[in-house]
Amino acid sequence: MIVLPPAEGEHPTPALIRRLACFVYEGILLFGVVMAAGLVYSLATNQRSAHQGQFGLQVFLFFVFGLYFVWFWSRTGQTLAMQTWQIRLVQRDGQPVSVARALGRYLVCWIWFLPWLAIAHIAGLQGNGQVFGLLMLGVVLWAVLSRLHPDRQFWHDALCGTRLIAWRSKPKD
């Protein structure tokens, strides 16, 4: 485990547009994670059709995503996308995030998607475009709600005792 010093001084909350750009970039990077994990799952289960074992694949991906986020957040406070956008996850007091807190944040972060997926299911939305549109509406609404937080943090961070800060790592000598 890499031990980082606490975030010293005043580290501002990154602008909402920067955090959303990081969110989109994270999605692009996770596409590769999904492809690799899907290949491993299909080989391990001898999957011959995309319709075979869909639920098992979803559960597997849930755990793979959890491993990805918890490992990066508890190790360095930054996923690959967060490193690019110079954003770091820390505890409210600026200390590095523990594995338990990172796991809790991962689970709570599903609030970005689960309510909207439930609405899509209840409404009987079938088309990928309709579901995607509803998900994007939910993401934008959840992101805009951060404007109501005193420090402009996302509400799941407030709940988990974490915060996102602008973070530029020191250059190596």
Side-chain angles (χ1 to χ4, degrees):
M1 174 179 192
I2 295 175
V3 178
L4 296 173
E8 296 172 1
E10 290 297 318
H11 290 280
T13 300
L16 181 58
I17 193 73
R18 186 166 151 199
R19 289 180 284 161
L20 288 177
C22 182
F23 179 88
V24 169
Y25 186 47
E26 195 78 70
I28 293 168
L29 294 176
L30 285 175
F31 182 77
V33 173
V34 167
M35 291 296 109
L39 177 63
V40 168
Y41 178 83
S42 66
L43 291 173
T45 61
N46 202 24
Q47 184 181 21
R48 299 282 183 221
S49 164
H51 298 290
Q52 175 189 351
Q54 270 185 325
F55 180 73
L57 177 60
Q58 290 170 347
V59 170
F60 181 68
L61 288 175
F62 176 80
F63 286 107
V64 168
F65 288 162
L67 182 63
Y68 171 86
F69 284 110
V70 170
W71 187 76
F72 276 111
W73 289 338
S74 63
R75 185 171 178 263
T76 63
Q78 297 176 296
T79 62
L80 299 174
M82 292 167 79
Q83 290 172 29
T84 301
W85 285 94
Q86 298 177 342
I87 296 172
R88 182 176 170 204
L89 178 70
V90 295
Q91 292 184 153
R92 212 174 274 138
D93 63 1
Q95 294 296 315
V97 177
S98 67
V99 171
R101 192 172 299 264
L103 178 60
R105 185 178 192 265
Y106 170 70
L107 295 173
V108 173
C109 279
W110 280 95
I111 200 166
W112 284 82
F113 305 106
L114 290 181
W116 306 100
L117 290 172
I119 290 169
H121 179 72
I122 292 167
L125 299 180
Q126 297 294 323
N128 289 341
Q130 293 173 324
V131 174
F132 181 77
L134 187 61
L135 277 173
M136 289 305 97
L137 174 66
V139 165
V140 169
L141 286 175
W142 185 252
V144 168
L145 283 176
S146 71
R147 309 282 293 162
L148 300 176
H149 187 278
D151 193 26
R152 304 281 195 223
Q153 292 293 323
F154 293 127
W155 286 98
H156 61 271
D157 283 311
L159 181 65
C160 295
T162 57
R163 61 187 301 257
L164 295 173
I165 60 170
W167 179 265
R168 188 176 304 251
S169 57
K170 295 179 182 174
K172 296 178 181 177
D173 295 328

